[in-house]
């Protein structure tokens, strides 16, 4: 998938993007927001990066200004609890997760990327619904999801962190 917005190119990550990924993923606050307790050094960051390359649609958010990957969006199968809900059973869904480099936050870049991606997914008819999660303490993610039109569906626990699950339907 390749998408262009006013300020970003959204495209699949490649192995050549690792240095940019490593640069933003090692930020302690970003890791806390993502729940990345196991990413502690270059080796574990590379393992995570490679796992994402191999297992999900791992999209780089590349700044047109700098040419660097400044964040990412992952598109993966929907939350299992949600997919089992009778309302969504038999429908096509995807789950979105995302991260933005700390210096690039509060500029509207993630909103710009997600709005464009969501529009493309719904327009193409490849999904009937999307879900996103956030830990209760991540107010920025909560507000972004709300702005994009996601609605509260429920909660689940990931280890010792309660996550809110929101859904957006076509």
């Amino acid at each position: 998938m390749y998408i262009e917005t006013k300020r970003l190119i959204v495209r699949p990550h490649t192995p050549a993007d690792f240095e940019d990924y490593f640069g933003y993923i090692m930020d302690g606050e970003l890791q806390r927001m993502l729940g990345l307790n196991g990413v502690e050094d270059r080796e574990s960051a590379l393992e995570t990066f490679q796992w994402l390359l191999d297992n999900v649609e791992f999209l780089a958010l590349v700044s047109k200004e700098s040419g660097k990957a400044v964040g990412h969006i992952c598109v993966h199968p929907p939350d299992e609890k949600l997919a089992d809900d009778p309302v969504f059973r038999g429908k096509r869904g995807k789950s979105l997760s995302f991260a933005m480099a700390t210096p690039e936050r509060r500029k509207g870049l993630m909103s710009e990327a997600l709005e464009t991606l969501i529009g493309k997914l719904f327009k193409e008819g490849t999904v009937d619904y999307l879900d996103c999660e956030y830990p209760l303490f991540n107010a920025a993610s909560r507000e972004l999801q709300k702005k994009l039109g996601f609605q509260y569906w429920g909660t689940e626990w990931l280890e010792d962190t309660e996550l809110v699950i929101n859904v957006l339907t076509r």
Side-chain angles (χ1 to χ4, degrees):
M1 179 177 304
Y2 180 92
I3 301 169
E4 219 171 303
T5 73
K6 182 179 175 182
R7 299 175 290 171
L8 296 168
I9 295 169
V10 181
R11 58 153 175 81
H13 258 298
T14 68
D17 295 321
F18 176 72
E19 291 304 323
D20 293 342
Y21 170 83
F22 183 68
Y24 69 80
I25 207 65
M26 293 308 294
D27 177 88
E29 179 63 13
L30 179 59
Q31 287 192 17
R32 186 176 82 81
M33 295 297 183
L34 294 173
L36 291 177
N37 302 330
V39 180
E40 300 167 353
D41 53 26
R42 186 175 197 77
E43 184 179 334
S44 58
L46 183 57
E47 286 174 18
T48 300
F49 183 81
Q50 191 59 53
W51 186 91
L52 290 167
L53 282 175
D54 294 343
N55 291 286
V56 301
E57 190 170 0
F58 183 35
L59 303 172
L61 305 182
V62 179
S63 166
K64 288 182 177 178
E65 186 178 321
S66 70
K68 293 182 175 245
V70 295
H72 66 261
I73 300 172
C74 295
V75 182
H76 39 98
D79 180 272
E80 287 182 31
K81 278 177 44 180
L82 188 65
D84 286 341
D85 183 315
V87 172
F88 298 103
R89 200 172 297 135
K91 294 188 176 175
R92 296 165 300 163
K94 294 285 183 182
S95 186
L96 302 177
S97 58
F98 44 87
M100 179 63 67
T102 300
E104 302 302 324
R105 291 188 199 154
R106 308 279 188 262
K107 296 179 181 179
L109 291 169
M110 186 58 74
S111 179
E112 184 178 307
L114 285 168
E115 285 173 356
T116 305
L117 175 64
I118 290 166
K120 181 177 177 71
L121 292 171
F122 283 145
K123 184 177 180 184
E124 290 177 344
T126 56
V127 296
D128 299 309
Y129 70 92
L130 296 165
D131 73 79
C132 277
E133 301 173 345
Y134 68 87
L136 292 174
F137 56 80
N138 191 338
S141 187
R142 177 188 68 228
E143 292 305 312
L144 176 56
Q145 290 178 38
K146 183 178 176 182
K147 176 184 173 187
L148 294 169
F150 282 82
Q151 301 286 317
Y152 175 83
W153 180 82
T155 62
E156 69 179 358
W157 286 86
L158 178 64
E159 297 174 8
D160 62 346
T161 303
E162 186 175 15
L163 301 174
V164 173
I165 303 170
N166 288 324
V167 178
L168 181 66
T169 57
R170 186 156 51 124

